[in-house]
């Protein structure tokens, strides 16, 4: 039954993608085309990738040929089971390590996966029991030693996304589309075309080269546990964009204040808590934002949810206890858009750049590099109700029980992206062998789907917006990392739902700073010879998360070099984790349903 349901949802996803389901996307693309044409006319030429060719593939590596036409995986049909899932949870001394709780945890409605039990049992199938991320076992010592500090710094400081005020990848997709990328063969790129200029105002809103808002807004957040800490290889940023209707007033005109309020309403719904805002007159919007029963001045989006009612006569859902403002408010009445705690509105988009680590001018600290390793994109194409989501989760559980060796069916391709079967499509761009961004192929995208569906840690298939800094942070949490010279320095540690210090909890549970237990720098800094947490050191994280999250300058350079080797190989389907020596704390073959010896953590 689950298989049948997911095939229907996946087919619907691809139909919506290919048919251009979102009117606002069509309008945005039209506007982007006009802006690009204006830029093109003014400059008479399109910016192309300009680089120092001496920085590329001087190690005589023959890159793997990338097939953009396949819709099945070449190396790993179960690539949605990530490399971190093959971690050995018991070391040679009998110490139990639990990095698993970061993803597999008791979930919050409407995420009904609730997969905390996977902390305790290796619930693999016959196929996925084999670890096909063979890059983990490679020794890159020799290749990394051939890359000088000067070479890697020159490389990561090149901007492979924008040059001369233009988006390189967008130019290529629109005006010079390689035949190999054109999955549909129609001469047009039908997937997402990058349209963020990373040009932010003092409230985190992105503007294009004409000074117009693109709709993207950056926000600062607590990096997710383990893999996404910079000390483990990458820096990153995340931006959100709501559909045009959420950016407009009741007359259909762009209104920044309306957009800000709607973003804060979405934040309250995803976090399921009150969100502070600048003072607004509720009479202007006709919405009781502070839920005090009258229209007055509001300083807070109060999260107070009462289940709406269904009118059998009209077939409409009515009496929403919370509402969007502006043009989006009217669409709740028609049910063209819906609203519920824990869910984003239809057509919400996320943009996530994963980058190298750069070094400050004084060589004393690390920062975000201009060069992107990846540009990841997600869009919510259709709305699923709580009942839909519950049924999908129950069906998945039953499917796993009845057919434990059956692999997931993930529908997608390199041009449209891949469906997660929960209303979202995911698409990515990654470096080619000379550092230009190219589309991910099917298998490379499949790698992303496992984390963005089917685990307890996510909220409506996403990880980060629920971790956004609150109103009392710098710029109320609405800023890009490049806008704050302090970066992660001086930021207090986040707390779990039950009040524990989250990053210190990870150290205590995992006895390491990464899933593979290969980050020697964190091990030496935060653990004694017996593997116990050095509380004197770990307590420093409480007031400054950078003390844990940022690597030393030397480690940052080594991680950059290790990843560059993967780029030159184009071997992402065999694993994209940056390491130099072979990783020893992972299985090449898992014993199915083996007890991990972990005592599950729940909170």
């Amino acid at each position: 039954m689950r298989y049948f349901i997911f095939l229907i949802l996946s087919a619907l996803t691809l139909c919506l993608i290919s048919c251009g389901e979102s009117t606002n996307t069509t309008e945005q693309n039209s506007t982007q085309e006009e802006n690009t044409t204006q830029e093109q006319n003014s400059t008479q030429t399109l910016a192309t990738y300009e680089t120092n060719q001496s920085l590329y593939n001087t190690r005589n590596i023959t890159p793997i040929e990338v097939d953009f036409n396949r819709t099945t995986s070449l190396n790993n049909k179960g690539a949605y089971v990530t490399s971190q899932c093959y971690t050995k949870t018991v070391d040679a001394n009998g110490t139990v390590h639990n990095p698993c709780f970061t993803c597999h945890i008791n979930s919050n409605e409407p995420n009904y996966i609730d997969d905390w039990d996977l902390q305790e049992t290796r619930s693999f199938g016959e196929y996925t029991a084999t670890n096909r991320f063979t890059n983990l076992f490679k020794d890159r010592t020799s290749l990394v030693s051939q890359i000088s500090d000067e070479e890697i710094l020159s490389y990561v400081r090149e901007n492979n996304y924008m040059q001369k005020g233009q988006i390189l990848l967008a130019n290529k997709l629109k005006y010079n589309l390689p035949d190999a990328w054109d999955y549909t063969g129609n001469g047009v790129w039908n997937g997402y075309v990058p349209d963020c200029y990373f040009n932010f105002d003092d409230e985190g809103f992105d503007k294009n080269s004409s000074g117009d808002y693109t709709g993207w807004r950056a926000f600062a957040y607590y990096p997710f546990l383990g893999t996404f800490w910079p000390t483990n290889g990458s820096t990153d940023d995340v931006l959100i964009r709501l559909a045009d209707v959420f950016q407009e007033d009741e007359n259909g005109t762009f209104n920044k204040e309306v957009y800000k309020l709607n973003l804060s309403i979405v934040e309250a719904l995803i976090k399921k808590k009150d969100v502070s805002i600048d003072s607004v007159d509720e009479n202007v919007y006709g919405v009781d934002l502070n839920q005090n029963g009258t229209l007055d001045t509001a300083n807070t989006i109060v999260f107070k949810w009462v289940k709406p009612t269904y009118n059998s006569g009209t077939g409409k859902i009515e009496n929403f206890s919370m509402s969007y403002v502006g043009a989006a408010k009217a669409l709740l009445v028609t049910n063209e858009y819906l609203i519920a705690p824990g869910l984003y509105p239809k057509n919400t988009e996320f943009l996530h750049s994963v980058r190298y680590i750069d070094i400050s001018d004084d060589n004393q600290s690390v920062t975000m590099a201009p060069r992107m390793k990846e540009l990841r994109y997600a869009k919510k194409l259709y709305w699923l109700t709580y009942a839909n989501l519950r049924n999908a989760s129950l069906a998945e559980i039953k499917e796993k029980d009845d057919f434990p060796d059956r692999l997931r069916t993930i529908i997608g391709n390199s041009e449209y992206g891949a469906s997660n079967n929960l209303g979202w499509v995911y698409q990515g761009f990654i470096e080619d062998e000379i550092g230009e961004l190219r589309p991910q192929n099917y298998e490379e995208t499949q790698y992303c789907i496992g984390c963005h569906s089917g685990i307890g840690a996510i909220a409506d298939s996403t990880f980060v917006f629920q971790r956004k800094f609150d109103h009392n942070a710098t710029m109320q949490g609405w800023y890009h990392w490049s806008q704050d010279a302090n970066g992660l320095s001086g930021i207090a540690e986040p707390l779990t739902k039950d009040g524990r210090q989250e990053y210190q909890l990870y150290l205590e549970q995992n006895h390491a700073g990464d899933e593979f237990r290969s980050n020697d720098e964190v091990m030496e800094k935060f653990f004694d010879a017996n593997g116990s947490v050095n509380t004197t050191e770990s307590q420093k994280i409480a007031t400054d998360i950078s003390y844990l999250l940022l690597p030393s300058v030397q480690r940052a350079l080594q991680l950059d070099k290790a990843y560059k080797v993967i780029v030159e190989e184009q071997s992402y389907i065999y694993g994209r984790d940056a390491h130099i020596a072979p990783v020893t704390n992972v299985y090449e073959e898992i014993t199915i349903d083996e007890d991990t010896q972990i005592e599950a953590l729940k909170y």
Side-chain angles (χ1 to χ4, degrees):
M1 182 63 178
R2 165 197 176 263
Y3 185 71
F4 179 68
I5 292 172
F6 278 7
L7 279 179
I8 291 175
L9 294 178
S10 297
L12 175 60
T13 299
L14 286 186
C15 177
L16 292 174
I17 300 170
S18 60
C19 294
E21 181 269 352
S22 170
T23 301
N24 81 289
T25 299
T26 303
E27 293 171 349
Q28 288 168 357
N29 287 343
S30 176
T31 300
Q32 291 155 18
E33 293 280 358
E34 291 172 4
N35 289 336
T36 304
T37 301
Q38 291 170 1
E39 293 167 0
Q40 190 176 2
N41 290 338
S42 63
T43 62
Q44 298 300 312
T45 183
L46 289 172
T48 56
Y49 190 64
E50 297 179 3
T51 187
N52 180 356
Q53 292 295 319
S54 67
L55 301 177
Y56 301 102
N57 209 354
T58 58
R59 284 148 287 283
N60 296 317
I61 295 172
T62 301
I64 296 170
E65 185 175 352
V66 180
D67 187 345
F68 296 98
N69 291 313
R70 292 181 65 95
T71 54
T72 58
S73 292
L74 178 67
N75 170 60
N76 187 0
K77 295 178 177 62
Y80 51 83
V81 178
T82 68
S83 55
Q84 289 79 12
C85 294
Y86 293 92
T87 296
K88 296 177 180 178
T89 55
V90 182
D91 64 23
N93 298 321
T95 302
V96 178
H97 302 261
N98 181 12
C100 310
F101 80 92
T102 62
C103 291
H104 304 297
I105 195 68
N106 45 307
S107 56
N108 293 324
E109 187 180 51
N111 180 351
Y112 300 101
I113 291 296
D114 208 38
D115 61 346
W116 60 266
D117 57 305
L118 294 184
Q119 295 178 45
E120 299 181 340
T121 305
R122 302 189 192 284
S123 185
F124 288 75
E126 182 178 354
Y127 182 90
T128 56
T130 299
N131 184 355
R132 292 174 171 80
F133 295 108
T134 53
N135 272 352
L136 291 170
F137 309 111
K138 287 185 178 180
D139 187 345
R140 294 197 166 89
T141 305
S142 176
L143 289 171
V144 167
S145 68
Q146 298 172 35
I147 305 175
S148 69
D149 291 352
E150 293 73 21
E151 178 185 345
I152 197 62
L153 283 174
S154 294
Y155 182 76
V156 305
R157 287 172 178 170
E158 287 184 342
N159 192 329
N160 61 343
Y161 180 78
M162 288 199 69
Q163 290 186 10
K164 299 178 181 177
Q166 297 182 46
I167 302 172
L168 298 170
L169 182 58
N171 286 349
K172 195 167 187 177
L173 293 171
K174 291 179 180 179
Y175 306 113
N176 191 26
L177 180 66
D179 291 340
W181 297 4
D182 187 12
Y183 173 81
T184 59
N186 64 355
V188 177
W189 179 256
N190 296 286
Y192 169 68
V193 177
D195 58 346
C196 179
Y197 285 74
F198 291 88
N199 174 35
F200 303 104
D201 69 9
D202 57 5
E203 294 182 298
F205 287 98
D206 178 55
K207 290 185 175 183
N208 64 22
S209 56
S210 300
D212 299 321
Y213 290 106
T214 64
W216 290 112
R217 194 181 192 188
F219 59 92
Y221 51 89
Y222 297 103
F224 192 72
L225 301 171
T227 295
F228 279 98
W229 290 347
T231 185
N232 291 321
S234 302
T235 57
D236 67 343
D237 54 26
V238 182
L239 301 92
I240 187 172
R241 179 164 67 186
L242 304 182
D244 284 356
V245 69
F246 290 85
Q247 305 176 34
E248 297 169 348
D249 61 22
E250 294 175 348
N251 297 316
T253 303
F254 176 82
N255 186 305
K256 189 176 181 182
E257 296 308 310
V258 165
Y259 193 18
K260 287 165 57 178
L261 282 175
N262 279 326
L263 283 165
S264 293
I265 292 166
V266 171
E267 181 180 353
L269 289 164
I270 294 299
K271 291 182 175 180
K272 298 182 181 178
K273 71 176 192 179
D274 298 352
V275 170
S276 297
I277 56 174
D278 294 334
S279 295
V280 298
D281 182 358
E282 294 176 337
N283 290 283
V284 174
Y285 306 102
V287 176
D288 185 11
L289 299 171
N290 59 17
Q291 302 261 18
N292 66 353
T294 186
L295 297 181
D296 56 8
T297 299
N299 300 294
T300 307
I301 305 294
V302 171
F303 176 73
K304 182 180 178 182
W305 183 256
V306 179
K307 186 177 179 180
T309 57
Y310 174 72
N311 186 325
S312 58
T314 63
K316 296 286 192 297
I317 300 173
E318 302 174 342
N319 301 319
F320 295 103
S321 54
M322 296 181 69
S323 173
Y324 301 119
V325 300
K329 175 186 172 184
L331 296 185
L332 284 178
V333 177
T334 62
N335 286 186
E336 183 174 340
Y337 279 85
L338 293 171
I339 187 171
L343 296 177
Y344 297 98
K346 183 177 61 172
N347 295 324
T348 297
E349 300 169 278
F350 282 97
L351 197 62
H352 175 202
S353 80
V354 182
R355 304 180 185 232
Y356 289 84
I357 310 172
D358 198 359
I359 309 301
S360 63
D361 292 338
D362 60 5
N363 294 320
Q364 297 300 308
S365 60
V366 300
T367 185
M368 175 180 287
R371 175 173 293 278
M372 294 183 184
K373 295 179 175 181
E374 301 179 46
L375 183 66
R376 300 174 177 179
Y377 172 77
K379 183 174 183 178
K380 183 172 182 173
L381 291 179
Y382 57 86
W383 177 275
L384 292 179
T385 66
Y386 278 28
N388 296 147
L389 293 167
R390 184 188 295 276
N391 288 340
S393 297
L394 292 175
E396 181 173 357
I397 293 168
K398 186 178 188 303
E399 171 83 4
K400 181 65 177 176
D401 186 59
D402 292 346
F403 305 100
D405 295 323
R406 179 179 286 174
L407 295 173
R408 285 186 60 180
T409 299
I410 295 175
I411 305 297
N413 56 61
S414 59
E415 189 166 353
Y416 287 125
S419 165
N420 75 342
N421 300 317
L422 296 173
W424 292 80
V425 65
Y426 287 84
Q427 187 169 17
F429 303 92
I430 201 163
E431 287 180 283
D432 67 11
E433 67 271 19
I434 65 166
E436 292 189 46
L437 291 172
R438 63 159 175 83
Q440 289 189 154
N441 70 3
Y442 172 84
E443 185 169 356
E444 291 163 343
T445 305
Q446 187 186 27
Y447 180 80
C448 306
I449 296 299
C451 290
H452 286 283
S453 63
I455 64 172
I458 54 179
D460 199 1
S461 301
T462 69
F463 284 90
V464 178
F465 197 53
Q466 58 269 39
R467 301 177 67 86
K468 174 190 169 293
F469 292 168
D470 289 332
H471 189 269
N472 58 357
T474 299
M475 297 171 64
Q476 302 174 7
W478 291 107
Y479 65 93
H480 188 261
W481 297 119
S482 62
Q483 294 180 280
D484 184 3
N486 294 322
L488 295 170
S489 298
I491 294 172
E493 183 177 10
L495 303 179
T496 62
K497 289 177 288 188
D498 60 357
R500 284 182 276 187
Q501 292 166 307
E502 186 183 38
Y503 292 162
Q504 293 183 64
L505 179 63
Y506 181 86
L507 296 180
E508 294 164 4
Q509 289 288 315
N510 191 29
H511 303 282
D514 67 312
E515 293 85 350
F516 302 130
R517 304 196 294 281
S518 60
N519 189 329
D520 293 337
E521 191 167 273
V522 168
M523 297 292 287
E524 293 171 5
K525 189 174 185 179
F526 291 99
F527 297 91
D528 61 25
N530 298 318
S532 298
V533 176
N534 180 333
T535 55
T536 300
E537 292 298 296
S538 68
Q539 286 173 2
K540 296 177 183 178
I541 305 168
T543 55
D544 185 1
I545 60 176
S546 69
Y547 191 65
L548 166 65
L549 269 55
L550 299 184
S552 67
V553 167
Q554 191 55 41
R555 176 171 171 79
L557 293 172
Q558 292 297 95
L559 290 169
D560 284 345
K561 294 174 186 179
Y563 187 82
K564 189 174 189 298
V565 173
I566 298 175
V567 171
E568 293 177 0
E569 294 174 340
Q570 290 291 284
S571 61
Y572 305 116
I573 63 174
Y574 300 102
R576 58 185 79 171
D577 303 291
H579 66 88
I580 299 173
V583 176
T584 59
N585 294 315
V586 292
Y587 289 103
E588 295 185 47
E589 192 78 25
I590 288 283
T591 301
I592 299 173
D593 292 331
E594 180 183 46
D595 187 345
T596 64
Q597 298 188 39
I598 292 171
E599 182 179 347
L601 177 68
K602 295 189 286 184
Y603 57 81

